[in-house]
Amino acid sequence: MAEDPTPTREELSRVEYAPPAKTWMDTGVDIPNRRGNWCYASDAKHPEYLGQPNAHDWAPQNEDWNLPENWQRIILDGMKERLEKYRSFRLFMDICVRCGACADKCHFYLGTGDPKNMPVLRAELLRSVYKRYFTKAGRMFGKLAGARDLTIDVLKEWYYYFYQCTECRRCSVFCPYGIDTADVTMIGRELLNLVGINIGWIMEPAANCYRTGNHLGVRPNTFKDNLDFAAEDLEDITGVHVDVPIDRKGAEVLVVVPSADYFANPHYFTFLGYLALFHEIGLDYTFSPFATEGGNFGLFLSHDMMKRLNAKIYFEARRLGVKWILGAECGHMWRVLHQYMDTMNGPADFLETPKSPVTGTVFTNAKATSTVHITEFTADLIRHDKLDLDKSRNDHLKVTFHDSCNPARAVGLLDEPRYIMKKVLNNFIEMPENTIREQTFCCGGGSGLGSDENMEARMRGGLPRANAVKYVKDEYGVNTLACICAIDKAVLPPLIDYWVGGVEVAGIHEFVGNALMMKGQNERLTDLRNEPIPHLQKREAEEEVKSDA
């Protein structure tokens, strides 16, 4: 937990939407007095290891950020470079008409009432500097044209508000011009990084990933140990021995998971579901000890870092000689793989168009990247009746589904997760229509903002999602919230405990593993969490009574 405890639910739920008396240009940000709403700075060693500019020690609450003397010129040159390189960035700077369609769509604005968390105004923090230095009207008329000088106070606003955007892209769904505020946030963070302003919760995982292949800094021998432990746990639960191949050259499929899957709860139970599934269908696959992370925190830092961190996946696919890649339940992993990998790290001309070895389905949608999402793969198996499933084994669960932002809005994985859940669950309940699918609300802790010192902002930003969960819990008795994102599985539990209570978080393949009837399995009176399945244990007890009689 952060140094200052998160306010009570009653305090956080009283959101004031009245705008301040001063105009937005005349209202700065008092960072020292807003603890709980910003993330700590990175230690200098992490950006230094990654070769990032102006790696130095600093603290957001300090008056002096130890910036280089020519910091304004560095940022303006960086802005000029990006305006020339990314046509979308210049377009987004020019075409906004301030219609306000996005204003009440941001979960951080809904949770804080801060006008600068409106996507339109958050972008204006950057756009005003663009106007001042890169447009004739801004140079001539200044404030009258919505332009302002780049000052240290403006820089501090950038830091505070660009790290109160989870790049969820909900605002872009409602923008009549298609402005993607997530792209604006990405550029804003890149410009801050040029002068060494970055946060630890992004920079440290990025450095770990560059050094060891995953965010947690887990080395290959520890990775192997973790997978061996998972196989032992699965055997204890199911009675089935499962071999977990690592670094096996010539396998058909390279499986890439987020590191939390083999390290943290509740992700781990999803991982057990993968292992059970792969064993049952006889998948010819391997893990790589050097591509032990599908997630990519470079997405939250810079385009260059995103490319560098993602390169390991194709490198390992080539080294191991696989035919295609199967990616697991992870959010930002899938935005990078789906929207960037082909042009950043491709072409993947050494791989094949993915084809299921079980059903024969050719995933033509994955031709460019040769990478299939595991919900696509599993949905195809179920559709072809290749799995023996007993959905009653999940009857102790009443499940609703959180569409994770990146798989939903960026990749369009809307129907496959639902298809799977309806085939392995008897009790599936949707949240209200305007809170799911393309309109899904964010968890409030994505984009590298899931740190404890940022807990108040996380609870405020996650309030819209929590309200929807509370509704289905109160109305239908929902006790489980499913998602297909590693960050969601990490940040949703404290959010739901804070606002709702009594609802567990799980991945979809945990339900698949529960329902999967494995050849040679034991009685399996528990689920993958090794918790009793009530109706099965009751039936077992009744049968014992009958046999005794």
Side-chain angles (χ1 to χ4, degrees):
M1 187 59 69
E3 293 178 8
D4 296 330
T6 306
T8 65
R9 287 192 296 271
E10 290 72 22
E11 290 173 318
L12 247 60
S13 61
R14 291 195 294 267
V15 182
E16 178 56 64
Y17 293 105
K22 296 181 180 180
T23 67
W24 71 269
M25 282 194 183
D26 299 318
T27 309
V29 57
D30 184 5
I31 290 177
N33 288 322
R34 295 194 182 182
R35 285 187 178 274
N37 290 282
W38 45 268
C39 299
Y40 292 160
S42 170
D43 294 337
K45 63 182 181 181
H46 301 305
E48 185 176 8
Y49 177 80
L50 290 168
Q52 297 302 289
N54 194 35
H56 70 294
D57 290 320
W58 66 285
Q61 68 270 32
N62 292 349
E63 185 69 24
D64 185 358
W65 283 9
N66 300 322
L67 299 170
E69 289 185 7
N70 62 334
W71 67 268
Q72 287 110 327
R73 178 45 49 197
I74 292 173
I75 288 179
L76 292 174
D77 286 347
M79 185 178 287
K80 181 176 184 293
E81 177 187 345
R82 284 155 181 78
L83 286 166
E84 294 170 352
K85 186 176 182 180
Y86 303 115
R87 188 168 67 93
S88 59
F89 177 41
R90 181 178 289 276
L91 195 66
F92 295 159
M93 290 294 96
D94 285 333
I95 65 173
C96 178
V97 296
R98 290 76 168 171
C99 68
C102 65
D104 61 345
K105 307 307 185 294
C106 176
H107 51 282
F108 277 116
Y109 173 65
L110 293 175
T112 66
D114 187 336
K116 291 180 184 176
N117 271 325
M118 295 179 182
V120 58
L121 196 43
R122 186 185 291 114
E124 202 72 16
L125 302 178
L126 193 61
R127 188 177 289 114
S128 59
V129 174
Y130 160 75
K131 288 182 176 179
R132 168 66 180 82
Y133 296 96
F134 297 97
T135 70
K136 184 178 292 186
R139 287 192 293 267
M140 291 179 62
F141 300 109
K143 200 171 181 179
L144 290 174
R148 60 177 181 167
D149 293 336
L150 178 58
T151 66
I152 185 63
D153 289 336
V154 169
L155 193 75
K156 290 183 176 182
E157 278 191 324
W158 284 10
Y159 164 78
Y160 186 79
Y161 290 104
F162 288 137
Y163 286 105
Q164 277 195 31
C165 170
T166 50
E167 301 178 13
C168 81
R169 305 172 73 240
R170 188 174 195 262
C171 52
S172 66
V173 173
F174 297 91
C175 177
Y177 293 94
I179 294 173
D180 191 341
T181 305
D183 277 359
V184 177
T185 292
M186 289 169 67
I187 296 295
R189 291 185 180 185
E190 283 195 26
L191 297 177
L192 288 168
N193 188 56
L194 292 177
V195 292
I197 302 303
N198 38 60
I199 68 171
W201 206 245
I202 291 176
M203 195 59 74
E204 183 173 355
N208 285 341
C209 198
Y210 196 62
R211 184 174 66 254
T212 67
N214 58 77
H215 297 153
L216 301 169
V218 174
R219 297 181 183 276
N221 58 323
T222 306
F223 174 67
K224 182 181 184 306
D225 288 344
N226 285 2
L227 267 58
D228 288 343
F229 291 149
E232 291 174 7
D233 282 349
L234 186 61
E235 185 171 2
D236 288 342
I237 295 168
T238 66
V240 178
H241 176 73
V242 172
D243 291 318
V244 184
I246 301 174
D247 206 31
R248 185 166 67 83
K249 290 189 176 182
E252 182 171 357
V253 179
L254 171 63
V255 175
V256 180
V257 301
S259 55
D261 276 5
Y262 53 84
F263 196 87
N265 290 342
H267 318 66
Y268 182 70
F269 310 117
T270 302
F271 186 72
L272 295 182
Y274 304 152
L275 298 185
L277 175 67
F278 299 157
H279 173 83
E280 191 63 17
I281 64 174
L283 184 66
D284 179 17
Y285 77 102
T286 186
F287 289 104
S288 162
F290 305 107
T292 51
E293 179 69 75
N296 192 324
F297 272 51
L299 175 64
F300 313 142
L301 181 64
S302 71
H303 290 79
D304 175 66
M305 189 57 60
M306 186 197 324
K307 178 180 180 179
R308 287 168 63 184
L309 298 184
N310 198 64
K312 66 183 182 295
I313 296 177
Y314 272 174
F315 183 90
E316 284 300 283
R318 184 189 294 273
R319 182 182 71 84
L320 294 170
V322 301
K323 294 181 180 179
W324 54 281
I325 301 165
L326 181 62
E329 295 184 16
C330 184
H332 55 287
M333 167 184 177
W334 278 96
R335 185 176 183 195
V336 175
L337 297 186
H338 181 72
Q339 295 191 326
Y340 297 106
M341 186 160 74
D342 182 35
T343 52
M344 281 186 165
N345 302 113
D349 50 10
F350 59 95
L351 294 172
E352 300 177 4
T353 301
K355 178 180 178 180
S356 172
V358 182
T359 68
T361 297
V362 178
F363 295 94
T364 54
N365 61 303
K367 183 178 181 179
T369 62
S370 297
T371 307
V372 173
H373 193 281
I374 195 164
T375 59
E376 297 175 284
F377 182 71
T378 302
D380 177 66
L381 291 171
I382 296 174
R383 186 170 67 87
H384 285 88
D385 199 26
K386 298 299 183 181
L387 302 179
D388 183 7
L389 300 170
D390 178 5
K391 63 166 60 177
S392 73
R393 295 182 56 81
N394 284 310
D395 279 356
H396 56 303
L397 306 175
K398 290 187 176 182
V399 181
T400 193
F401 182 59
H402 164 67
D403 288 277
S404 302
C405 298
N406 283 312
R409 273 189 286 269
V411 187
L413 286 168
L414 304 171
D415 296 320
E416 292 87 348
R418 289 174 168 82
Y419 178 81
I420 295 171
M421 285 187 290
K422 290 174 182 178
K423 295 296 184 178
V424 299
L425 297 167
N426 282 317
N427 303 305
F428 174 65
I429 299 100
E430 288 277 22
M431 284 183 276
E433 185 177 355
N434 63 340
T435 71
I436 59 172
R437 300 181 75 89
E438 293 92 340
Q439 297 186 46
T440 185
F441 277 113
C442 181
C443 65
S447 187
L449 306 187
S451 59
D452 282 356
E453 70 267 19
N454 193 43
M455 190 62 77
E456 181 177 333
R458 285 171 54 186
M459 296 302 103
R460 288 185 180 277
L463 176 58
R465 168 47 74 222
N467 277 339
V469 175
K470 187 176 187 305
Y471 172 79
V472 290
K473 182 200 173 188
D474 293 346
E475 289 291 318
Y476 305 104
V478 162
N479 59 20
T480 306
L481 174 62
C483 58
I484 54 172
C485 171
I487 287 182
D488 283 335
K489 291 169 192 169
V491 303
L492 282 172
L495 176 76
I496 300 305
D497 285 347
Y498 184 82
W499 287 114
V500 184
V503 176
E504 297 289 336
V505 175
I508 286 180
H509 278 79
E510 178 180 342
F511 311 140
V512 174
N514 287 342
L516 187 63
M517 304 301 288
M518 302 177 69
K519 298 179 186 67
Q521 70 179 17
N522 58 22
E523 291 293 330
R524 290 193 65 185
L525 301 179
T526 62
D527 58 19
L528 291 184
R529 301 191 181 208
N530 216 12
E531 295 177 353
I533 301 177
H535 77 277
L536 294 181
Q537 296 215 341
K538 180 181 178 182
R539 185 174 67 191
E540 178 77 5
E542 290 173 348
E543 290 176 356
E544 286 183 4
V545 170
K546 288 180 181 178
S547 63
D548 290 342

